[in-house]
Amino acid sequence: MIRLIEKGLMFGNLVHISSPALVERYNRALQHLAGKTTALTDFHVDISGYSPEVGIELDDPLYLNPNGVNRQFILLTTEQKRAPLLNVKFSTSRDILREFIEMNEAQLFALTATDAVAGELVNSVFKLTTPRDLLNLRKIEIEADTVGGTLRKADQLAGMVERFKTEEYAWFDDVLIANMIETAKETGDVTRNPVRLRHTVFEQRNFWTAHFGGMYLFPDLDHPAVICMGERPEDLPIKYVFDPSQRNQIAKFLNYNDLVEPIVKARGVDAAAILQQKMDFLTVDAAADAGIDLTGLDRSDMRRLARNHADRLPEAYHGLAQLLRWATDGGPWPRITSDHPAYFYSLRAANTPNRDLVNMLLAELAPLDPRQMFICHKELFYRTYGGWPEPKKAYVAEFLAREYQVDKAGARAALFGHEPDMSGEDRVSEAVIARVGPWGAVRKE
């Protein structure tokens, strides 16, 4: 993993904590949440305040995420909203945290000026015992306050102010007035500057979880289903439960809910370039397994590798090659049904609210495309990377650093964006695709 860290592909965009004041606040918050402290004086944190260095020191990668369910967080600065979330257990957690910070940025900025804000993403389940429990995770509520209890005290002061205004003899209550004065010293004037956090309840509809071997839950669709990457449970209260071996059923599910589109149908993208790059990754995988040096490969080298090792190339490569010939040279239209190994490589998520989740699923169904895996499913990428041959590790790390890191937004837009094509011309006839295309022809059971 050192190579990934050096190239900024792992632990990138974390917030550096080095000032004694922030370290002291972090320790107070950590003691408050987990009963622990760190002896480190210099470390990095993600959007939730989790630090990989502190995790190593405490020998606990879940020190802010007990049982992997109710994620705790420590906010030292609102700049944490730009950081990634490490050790992800639920695909929705980072989006919820970022939206919470952005919706309350002014208040959090004021609160973190003098103290750390500590909190938790709370749901009705504290520990997952069976996959059935996952379907109960429909609402996430954020509970947060400074370690010193500024928000709690502000609520108390507001209550005292209301009593002072409404109770008949409150003007003569010396104890009430003294308490108001003392509390106001810590909270400020809550009548002019109310200290409240808003938008703290979030719906968790369709999501991925790392629990139980990895599961994609889509209960909030017209045709709901659960896709299990580990062992498939039999007692989920949902009609359709699939595992990766059920390619045709998964394809039907994606099709029925209009969740995917073929790459060659997408407007505003260079479909040929995307297909060619996917083929290159498949070539690299085969060459790495053969122990071939992959240093400094150019386009001609890649063609040579493909020719020399054609017998080693997976069937997915040949399916993508047929698509590429059709897209660039007007070759015969390939009929690729959902049981073909190239099928999921040829798709991307449609422009729906579930786009990121579907792209995440596709990255897992097309595991030989490391670029999509890195962009859409980093947890899977890091886990998979460790098992690759050394030549493939070096090639992929160099490619991502060269082609992706320099223009992340552009790369994402090119691969997964849904901007309108301003040329006014369709790259591919939608009628043709609907009639004979490989994506309109999910294999019948």
Side-chain angles (χ1 to χ4, degrees):
M1 297 297 183
I2 298 299
R3 182 187 286 113
L4 297 179
I5 297 172
E6 290 175 343
K7 293 183 179 296
L9 299 170
M10 190 174 188
F11 301 145
N13 296 325
L14 297 179
V15 177
H16 188 205
I17 304 300
S18 58
S19 78
L22 291 183
V23 172
E24 190 273 335
R25 291 176 196 171
Y26 188 85
N27 266 328
R28 289 180 62 225
L30 188 56
Q31 178 67 40
H32 174 73
L33 289 175
K36 303 175 181 179
T37 58
T38 175
L40 300 177
T41 58
D42 181 23
F43 50 88
H44 298 78
V45 297
D46 69 3
I47 188 173
S48 73
Y50 169 79
S51 167
E53 297 102 322
V54 174
I56 292 172
E57 177 198 22
L58 300 177
D59 192 25
D60 183 5
L62 295 178
Y63 72 88
L64 282 183
N65 195 12
N67 299 320
V69 180
N70 292 293
R71 186 112 191 187
Q72 297 173 317
F73 61 88
I74 299 172
L75 296 180
L76 299 173
T77 168
T78 54
E79 286 303 302
Q80 286 174 233
K81 70 178 183 179
R82 308 181 195 282
L85 181 64
L86 305 180
N87 294 335
V88 179
K89 296 300 181 183
F90 290 91
S91 60
T92 53
S93 297
R94 183 179 184 274
D95 290 339
I96 289 174
L97 276 171
R98 176 160 186 156
E99 186 174 351
F100 169 73
I101 295 172
E102 290 178 341
M103 292 292 291
N104 296 282
E105 190 152 6
Q107 299 284 43
L108 291 170
F109 182 83
L111 292 170
T112 56
T114 57
D115 202 353
V117 172
E120 185 173 354
L121 276 65
V122 181
N123 57 61
S124 59
V125 178
F126 294 102
K127 185 176 182 180
L128 295 172
T129 55
T130 70
R132 293 176 63 94
D133 295 333
L134 291 167
L135 293 171
N136 295 324
L137 305 181
R138 303 303 302 271
K139 184 176 74 172
I140 305 296
E141 183 172 359
I142 290 186
E143 295 181 356
D145 200 347
T146 64
V147 178
T150 301
L151 297 177
R152 173 176 50 82
K153 292 173 182 177
D155 285 341
Q156 292 173 353
L157 179 56
M160 287 188 283
V161 170
E162 185 63 23
R163 281 182 57 198
F164 185 77
K165 288 179 177 180
T166 58
E167 292 184 6
E168 184 176 357
Y169 297 104
W171 284 87
F172 306 104
D173 190 335
D174 293 338
V175 175
L176 174 62
I177 294 172
N179 287 338
M180 288 170 60
I181 293 171
E182 286 302 312
T183 307
K185 290 178 181 179
E186 299 182 59
T187 65
D189 186 350
V190 296
T191 60
R192 294 187 179 183
N193 302 295
V195 184
R196 289 191 182 91
L197 297 177
R198 60 195 179 96
H199 197 63
T200 58
V201 179
F202 300 83
E203 293 292 327
Q204 180 168 262
R205 300 182 181 278
N206 305 313
F207 62 94
W208 166 86
T209 177
H211 293 281
F212 306 110
M215 299 176 68
Y216 295 82
L217 294 95
F218 296 91
D220 196 42
L221 294 177
D222 291 339
H223 305 280
V226 172
I227 300 172
C228 305
M229 294 299 157
E231 184 178 350
R232 185 170 58 145
E234 300 296 335
D235 60 343
L236 285 180
I238 196 166
K239 186 174 181 180
Y240 296 109
V241 180
F242 306 130
D243 62 51
S245 68
Q246 298 174 287
R247 296 174 58 88
N248 301 325
Q249 290 89 336
I250 293 174
K252 288 178 182 177
F253 159 75
L254 296 172
N255 227 14
Y256 289 161
N257 289 290
D258 297 320
L259 294 175
V260 293
E261 64 183 10
I263 292 170
V264 295
K265 182 182 178 182
R267 296 168 180 255
V269 303
D270 187 346
I274 296 174
L275 291 173
Q276 182 64 67
Q277 186 59 67
K278 289 177 181 287
M279 291 166 59
D280 288 349
F281 286 135
L282 295 174
T283 302
V284 165
D285 184 74
D289 286 342
I292 296 171
D293 182 14
L294 303 174
T295 306
L297 293 179
D298 58 21
R299 171 59 49 214
S300 61
D301 294 329
M302 203 66 72
R303 286 196 298 268
R304 175 178 51 78
L305 278 176
R307 285 196 303 270
N308 294 343
H309 300 276
D311 57 329
R312 290 178 172 268
L313 295 175
E315 188 60 29
Y317 178 96
H318 301 295
L320 292 177
Q322 294 176 48
L323 291 175
L324 182 62
R325 283 193 293 271
W326 175 83
T328 58
D329 302 329
W333 181 266
R335 185 171 181 80
I336 299 177
T337 55
S338 55
D339 58 349
H340 194 290
Y343 182 80
F344 291 116
Y345 287 94
S346 69
L347 301 176
R348 74 173 191 176
N351 191 19
T352 72
N354 297 295
R355 181 180 66 182
D356 292 345
L357 181 61
V358 173
N359 276 329
M360 191 177 188
L361 171 62
L362 290 174
E364 196 149 4
L365 295 173
L368 297 182
D369 184 349
R371 176 173 57 178
Q372 177 159 343
M373 189 187 296
F374 179 79
I375 295 173
C376 302
H377 199 337
K378 282 188 174 57
E379 296 297 309
L380 177 63
F381 176 86
Y382 295 138
R383 189 168 69 245
T384 306
Y385 176 91
W388 288 342
E390 196 60 32
K392 183 175 180 179
K393 289 181 181 178
Y395 176 86
V396 170
E398 180 61 32
F399 174 88
L400 292 174
R402 183 181 69 249
E403 303 290 339
Y404 174 67
Q405 288 291 86
V406 295
D407 183 15
K408 295 180 182 180
R412 288 173 183 268
L415 291 168
F416 310 116
H418 292 266
E419 294 76 18
D421 182 0
M422 302 309 292
S423 69
E425 298 178 357
D426 288 338
R427 292 180 58 82
V428 183
S429 166
E430 296 189 14
V432 170
I433 289 176
R435 188 176 76 252
V436 299
W439 311 275
V442 177
R443 184 175 178 227
K444 297 283 191 296
E445 284 298 301

